[in-house]
Amino acid sequence: MQMLRISSERRARLLADGLLAINARSQEVHGLTFEESQFLIDFDDDDGAADDEPSQERRSELSLRHEQARLRIATADDESSADEEQRPRAATKF
């Protein structure tokens, strides 16, 4: 398995929040491709040290895509839960 280069403390936090996953290529990811996930991790660890405009733009784009993916997952989970809660129950004859 190919793991992201992050501290064990940060990995534990991300795992606890459900923000890390394993993709079909057995790579640890943070809601994006492995390379994109590593870019975001590195960028944030450097506190935005890459001040060049292309890096800033890429970080913004990837962050937006990551949040959109999280919203889609949360929405799908909510819709799934709602379906289960409203499933008709068999009436009892007692």
Side-chain angles (χ1 to χ4, degrees):
M1 181 170 84
Q2 188 175 13
M3 299 180 73
L4 293 167
R5 293 181 313 271
I6 55 177
S7 69
S8 55
E9 294 84 18
R10 187 168 185 187
R11 177 173 283 110
R13 255 190 345 266
L14 292 172
L15 284 170
D17 292 339
L19 298 177
L20 287 180
I22 306 299
N23 67 13
R25 295 181 179 155
S26 296
Q27 298 170 316
E28 187 176 48
V29 292
H30 183 48
L32 302 164
T33 68
F34 180 80
E35 293 77 17
E36 293 168 339
S37 297
Q38 191 64 62
F39 176 86
L40 276 182
I41 297 286
D42 292 344
F43 190 93
D44 291 344
D45 283 350
D46 292 340
D47 293 324
D51 284 333
D52 60 289
E53 190 171 333
S55 293
Q56 294 282 347
E57 287 180 16
R58 183 170 188 222
R59 197 263 182 237
S60 295
E61 173 194 337
L62 294 178
S63 180
L64 179 62
R65 285 184 37 222
H66 179 272
E67 291 302 319
Q68 289 171 333
R70 287 183 62 198
L71 182 59
R72 279 193 306 272
I73 290 168
T75 302
D77 185 46
D78 284 350
E79 289 173 0
S80 172
S81 298
D83 288 344
E84 292 173 5
E85 293 169 5
Q86 296 178 13
R87 187 175 299 147
R89 300 185 192 274
T92 60
K93 294 184 179 184
F94 299 106

